[in-house]
Amino acid sequence: MQGWFSGTTSDDAKPSSSLLADWNSYASAQSSQEPSNLPLPFDLESAVRSANDTVSGTFSVVSKGVRDLPGNFQSATSNVPSGKALVYFGLLLASGVFFVFIAFTLFLPVMVVMPQKFAICFTLGCGFIIGSFFALKGPKNQLAHMLSKERLPFTLTFIGSMIGTIYVSMVRHSYILSVVFSVVQ
């Protein structure tokens, strides 16, 4: 078959040798010749070793610089929430968004007839959303954040409006006050 491609007959064809034998003969022919076309021999092993040393040296300099930063990596990652906290955050946030969505889609159109249902769903949704941030940041950190001097008036207004909404919609059954407290929220 090889003779057909090369144009020789089967009588003229030499027995075929293996690929390994061809490679070894090529390699020995190349090693016996003087490499006159290459000005400098290229040593791959030393080049890889040099590149490795350079990368390791650069990495050690960078990691030393990071260790010497003020407020080290430990303090920077201490506020990263755990996987469990992220799950609770996601569940509470999804619940809060669901209740707010229900309040606006189902109960806002019938707010004139039943203001309590809108107010309860909206207040529960807001409570779940705030609770999700308590789960994410931790209760102590979230309370400190909400009770800081610049946020205290807004926190008190929000919590007061939530309590007021529940009171006027469940106890007083007042349409006007339910709307007012829901708007304040």
Side-chain angles (χ1 to χ4, degrees):
M1 185 84 162
Q2 286 180 347
W4 186 77
F5 286 113
S6 62
T8 60
T9 62
S10 60
D11 298 336
D12 298 344
K14 295 186 246 178
S16 65
S17 60
S18 70
L19 182 63
L20 180 61
D22 289 343
W23 175 257
N24 286 336
S25 67
Y26 172 76
S28 65
Q30 290 296 324
S31 65
S32 66
Q33 294 177 356
E34 185 64 34
S36 59
N37 57 354
L38 293 175
L40 295 173
F42 183 72
D43 186 15
L44 182 64
E45 185 179 350
S46 66
V48 169
R49 191 176 301 122
S50 171
N52 188 23
D53 292 343
T54 302
V55 169
S56 326
T58 303
F59 180 73
S60 67
V61 168
V62 168
S63 63
K64 181 183 180 299
V66 169
R67 272 181 276 152
D68 294 340
L69 284 175
N72 61 13
F73 189 69
Q74 290 285 340
S75 67
T77 59
S78 65
N79 293 331
V80 175
S82 67
K84 196 175 195 180
L86 287 173
V87 168
Y88 287 136
F89 169 74
L91 289 174
L92 288 170
L93 185 65
S95 299
V97 169
F98 173 75
F99 275 108
V100 169
F101 177 77
I102 293 296
F104 279 108
T105 58
L106 293 180
F107 298 127
L108 187 62
V110 294
M111 190 169 175
V112 176
V113 180
M114 296 177 286
Q116 298 87 3
K117 292 191 178 191
F118 172 80
I120 295 299
C121 274
F122 187 68
T123 304
L124 277 175
C126 290
F128 276 126
I129 290 171
I130 292 295
S132 70
F133 288 103
F134 272 90
L136 184 67
K137 290 183 174 184
K140 186 177 177 182
N141 290 338
Q142 182 64 23
L143 269 176
H145 176 75
M146 289 175 68
L147 297 177
S148 65
K149 187 176 182 180
E150 60 272 357
R151 288 186 177 85
L152 188 59
F154 301 107
T155 301
L156 292 176
T157 303
F158 182 70
I159 292 174
S161 68
M162 286 177 72
I163 293 170
T165 302
I166 298 292
Y167 175 73
V168 298
S169 65
M170 297 300 290
V171 177
R172 303 270 323 256
H173 299 288
S174 171
Y175 168 75
I176 304 277
L177 290 176
S178 292
V179 172
V180 167
F181 279 109
S182 294
V183 168
V184 171
Q185 273 187 43

